[in-house]
C-alpha cells in the first residue's frame, strides 16, 4: 500500500476545507505569483457576459500546479526531504514538483509519459533531478512509481489526490474571487480534479451563490460520467489535444469533494477547445494550452449557457510553439 | 497652425516632469490595468541576468498607449469633448483613443495607414466613431489630420508629442519600479518616444542609478541617429516587422526629454526582433507584438550588454494570428 506524505495510510482521508486553503495561501505568499485577473476584454461583448480570466498561465512553470506542489513540499519534514520526492505527471505537475524541489533543495524524480508535450518535458528536465519516461500505451504510471518508491524510499507527491495539493490549488480561485468579487458562475478545467475541488471549496466560502462547473474534453469525459453515476469512472489513454486532462480518473478525495461542492461537470468537443485557445490569443493576448482553454470552450460550444459575472480559470500556458502555430494559422 | 489640447500654440511646450506622472497615475487609478511584472522566468538563466518584464501587452487594448490616451482625454473640458477628438496612428494609439472615447462618451475619428495590421484595424473599428484609411506611400498622416481639424473643429490627441501623453506613458515604468525596486538598466521600445521619455522621467525619479536605453529597429533608426546628431532625424515609411515604431521621427518634446534623461538608444536587426517575440512566447508564455519585443531583442543581439537587474517594458501584444503562426512555426 502506498503511504501518504505523513506515512499514514490514505484509506480514510480527511477532506480539506476552506481553512486549509487559507493556510496554503499564507504558505504561498511571496513564493507563488499572484497571477493577474483579466477583465473587460472584447470577449464580454462577444459572449454577452462579464468575464474574469484568472491567468494561471502566468504562474511559475506556467501552470497552477506550482501552488499545490509548493504547499505540499514545503510542509515535508527534514527527514522526508532527505529521502527525496517522486511524482508521476504528464507535464505541469512534474514541472511544479521539479521547480519546488529546486527551491527547497529536495531531490526530485519524475515519471513522465513519453508522449508529453516537448515544452513540458523540457521544463521538467530543466529542474528535476531525474526524469523517467514510459510508454503510456504499455505501462501505468502509478505502478512504475510504486516500484521506485519501494526501491528507494522516496516520498510520493501525488498529482492531485491529497489534501495539501487540493488546498494549494484552491488558492487560485480564492485570489480570483478576492480580486473580482462574487461570481455567478466559475468554470474550471478538470483532469484529476485537484483544481476543480480546491476551486469549489474557495467558491463555496467566498461566493456562496456561485455555480461551480468543471469542464473536460468529450474524449476524456470520465469526470462527467463519474458525476452522473456517483462512482469513479475511468478513461484509458484518451486522445485529446488537452493533454493536461488525460488523467485516468478523479481521485477518491477529489471526487468526494466534487460530489459535495460542484454544481455540474460538462464536456466539450476538440474543435471548441482549439477555437477557445485561438480566441484567447486574439482577444486577450494570452497564451493558454488547450487544457487551460476548457472553461472558455464550454461557453463557445454552448455546453454552459450563462449570463452575468463568470470566472474562468485559465489553468496553464504550456503549449508547444508548433502546436500554437497550427492553431493560429489561417487554415484554421 | 495646429493648436494643442488647451488651444494654445505648441511652439514652446512646457516639458512634463515626474510630478505629472504621479498626477497621471492617480487619474489612471481604477481605469487602466496595473499590468503584471513577470520575474524569475527561464530567461534569467539563459541571459545571466535578473529580468523584470512589465506586461503592457496585458493593458487595455493590449498596449501601453491606453495610459496616455486616457490621461489626455479625461482632462478635456466639456466644450472640447463636445467637439470630438481626432488622432493619427498606425494602430495602438488609435485603439487607445477609440476605447477612451467610448468610455468617456467622446466622438473619435482615427486616421490610419492602410497597411496597419488587421488586428489593430479591427480593434480600432470596434471602438472608434470613424476610421479614415490612407496610403502611407502617398500621403502624410499629419497633413490629412490637419485638413479634418480645419473642416470639423475637432481636437487633436497627438500620438506622443504632448505632456499629458508622455506623463500617461510614464506610469508604466513607475509601476514597474515601484513593484520590483531599483533597476540597473531599463530597456524601452522607441517609436515617437512617448513611452521612452515618460519611462526615463520615472526611472530618474525612482531609480536614479538606472541606465535607460531606448531600442528601435535598424531599419527605422531615426532615434539612434537623432540621439547621436543632436537634431531630429527622420525615416520615410520604413519596412520593419515592428510596425509600432514606423513613426517618421521623434517629437520636439519627446526628443528634448530624451536628450536630457536617456542614456543611449540602440538599434536591432529584424531577426533579433523575431527571435525575441518567439522566445517570450516559449519562456514566459506572453504574447508580444514585434515592437513590444525590442527590449529583449537588444539583449539577444548584443546591442546592449548588461548584467544585474534589468527591466524590460513589453509595450504591446497586438500581433496578427497569422504572423504569430509564422514566427512560431518550426521553419523559423
Amino acid at each position: 500500500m502506498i503511504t501518504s506524505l505523513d506515512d499514514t495510510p490514505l484509506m480514510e482521508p480527511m477532506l480539506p476545507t476552506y481553512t486549509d486553503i487559507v493556510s496554503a495561501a499564507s504558505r504561498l505568499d511571496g513564493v507563488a505569483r499572484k497571477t493577474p485577473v483579466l477583465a473587460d476584454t472584447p470577449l464580454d461583448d462577444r459572449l454577452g457576459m462579464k468575464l474574469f480570466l484568472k491567468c494561471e498561465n502566468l504562474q511559475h512553470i506556467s501552470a497552477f500546479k506550482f501552488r499545490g506542489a509548493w504547499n505540499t513540499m514545503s510542509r515535508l519534514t527534514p527527514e522526508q526531504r532527505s529521502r527525496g520526492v517522486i511524482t508521476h505527471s504528464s507535464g505541469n505537475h512534474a514541472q511544479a514538483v521539479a521547480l519546488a524541489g529546486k527551491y527547497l533543495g529536495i531531490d526530485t524524480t519524475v515519471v513522465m509519459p513519453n508522449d508529453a508535450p516537448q515544452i513540458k518535458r523540457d521544463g521538467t528536465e530543466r529542474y528535476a533531478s531525474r526524469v523517467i519516461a514510459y510508454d503510456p500505451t504499455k505501462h501505468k504510471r502509478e505502478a512504475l512509481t510504486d516500484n521506485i518508491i519501494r526501491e528507494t524510499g522516496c516520498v510520493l507527491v501525488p498529482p492531485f489526490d491529497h489534501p495539501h495539493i487540493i488546498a494549494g490549488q484552491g488558492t487560485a480561485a480564492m485570489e480570483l474571487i478576492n480580486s473580482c468579487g462574487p461570481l455567478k458562475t466559475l468554470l474550471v478545467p478538470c483532469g484529476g480534479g485537484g483544481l476543480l475541488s480546491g476551486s469549489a471549496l474557495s467558491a463555496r466560502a467566498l461566493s456562496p451563490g456561485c455555480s461551480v462547473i468543471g469542464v473536460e474534453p468529450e474524449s476524456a469525459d470520465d469526470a462527467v460520467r463519474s458525476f452522473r453515476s456517483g462512482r469513479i469512472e475511468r478513461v484509458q489513454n484518451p486522445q485529446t489535444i488537452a493533454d493536461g486532462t488525460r488523467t485516468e480518473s478523479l481521485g477518491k478525495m477529489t471526487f468526494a469533494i466534487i460530489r459535495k461542492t460542484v454544481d455540474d461537470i460538462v464536456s466539450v468537443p476538440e474543435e471548441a477547445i482549439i477555437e477557445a485557445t485561438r480566441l484567447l490569443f486574439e482577444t486577450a493576448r494570452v497564451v493558454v494550452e488547450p487544457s487551460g482553454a476548457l472553461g472558455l470552450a464550454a461557453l463557445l460550444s454552448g455546453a454552459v449557457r450563462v449570463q452575468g459575472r463568470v470566472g474562468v480559470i485559465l489553468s496553464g500556458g504550456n503549449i508547444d510553439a508548433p502546436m500554437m502555430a497550427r492553431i493560429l494559422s489561417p487554415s484554421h
Side-chain angles (χ1 to χ4, degrees), chain A:
Chain A
M1 176 194 301
I2 298 304
T3 57
S4 78
L5 297 169
D6 44 11
D7 291 330
T8 54
L10 270 179
M11 300 303 284
E12 300 255 348
M14 276 284 282
L15 297 184
T17 65
Y18 178 65
T19 307
D20 297 303
I21 296 174
V22 173
S23 157
S26 69
R27 223 168 271 112
L28 287 163
D29 189 35
V31 183
R33 293 185 182 142
K34 290 205 165 50
T35 56
V37 177
L38 286 183
D40 301 315
T41 70
L43 289 168
D44 285 8
D45 283 346
R46 177 158 177 161
L47 295 172
M49 56 189 76
K50 182 109 185 87
L51 284 178
F52 299 91
L53 308 173
K54 177 65 172 169
C55 294
E56 284 298 289
N57 57 317
L58 296 176
Q59 189 50 269
H60 291 309
I61 64 96
S62 305
F64 73 94
K65 292 280 192 179
F66 181 77
R67 296 174 183 271
W70 179 269
N71 188 50
T72 304
M73 291 167 66
S74 65
R75 297 175 68 150
L76 293 178
T77 64
E79 190 275 330
Q80 287 173 317
R81 292 184 189 206
S82 72
R83 282 152 61 194
V85 301
I86 188 169
T87 196
H88 48 85
S89 159
S90 66
N92 284 336
H93 178 64
Q95 294 181 76
V97 167
L99 181 61
K102 186 190 160 200
Y103 285 169
L104 293 164
I106 300 174
D107 183 277
T108 51
T109 301
V110 172
V111 176
M112 199 165 193
N114 61 12
D115 63 350
Q118 187 66 42
I119 194 169
K120 296 183 179 180
R121 272 182 288 172
D122 292 348
T124 306
E125 284 167 2
R126 183 176 298 129
Y127 304 120
S129 308
R130 70 198 61 76
V131 176
I132 297 170
Y134 72 95
D135 179 346
T137 63
K138 293 183 182 165
H139 299 286
K140 285 204 177 181
R141 52 175 106 180
E142 292 80 2
L144 289 167
T145 307
D146 291 359
N147 284 339
I148 297 167
I149 292 173
R150 279 193 202 93
E151 284 167 19
T152 68
C154 59
V155 177
L156 175 66
V157 182
F160 49 84
D161 211 32
H162 191 280
H164 301 172
I165 298 284
I166 294 166
Q169 320 304 31
T171 58
M174 177 188 173
E175 285 175 15
L176 168 62
I177 298 168
N178 281 339
S179 156
C180 75
L183 294 167
K184 188 163 177 191
T185 310
L186 177 62
L187 301 175
V188 187
C190 181
L195 182 65
L196 177 56
S197 56
S199 298
L201 290 172
S202 283
R204 285 286 153 271
L206 296 172
S207 182
C210 174
S211 290
V212 179
I213 303 176
V215 187
E216 66 183 0
E218 283 180 355
S219 54
D221 69 341
D222 59 287
V224 169
R225 290 185 283 112
S226 303
F227 195 74
R228 306 274 145 85
S229 74
R231 62 179 190 205
I232 293 178
E233 310 282 352
R234 294 173 192 280
V235 287
Q236 293 303 326
N237 193 32
Q239 294 307 302
T240 168
I241 195 170
D243 61 87
T245 63
R246 288 182 193 149
T247 321
E248 188 182 353
S249 72
L250 297 171
K252 285 183 182 173
M253 197 173 296
T254 57
F255 184 52
I257 298 169
I258 286 168
R259 290 189 73 181
K260 283 185 189 175
T261 58
V262 166
D263 294 275
D264 200 4
I265 304 181
V266 300
S267 66
V268 293
E270 296 291 297
E271 307 79 59
I273 302 172
I274 292 168
E275 171 67 6
T277 303
R278 193 183 57 72
L279 201 58
L280 283 162
F281 171 91
E282 290 191 339
T283 59
R285 331 308 295 145
V286 289
V287 178
V288 292
E289 56 184 284
S291 307
L294 281 164
L296 181 60
L299 297 172
L300 295 178
S301 71
V304 173
R305 296 180 189 278
V306 288
Q307 292 184 311
R309 298 165 54 83
V310 179
V312 178
I313 298 190
L314 308 180
S315 54
N318 288 315
I319 180 171
D320 282 340
M323 180 185 283
M324 191 59 145
R326 282 196 302 279
I327 290 175
L328 296 180
S329 62
S331 57
H332 254 101

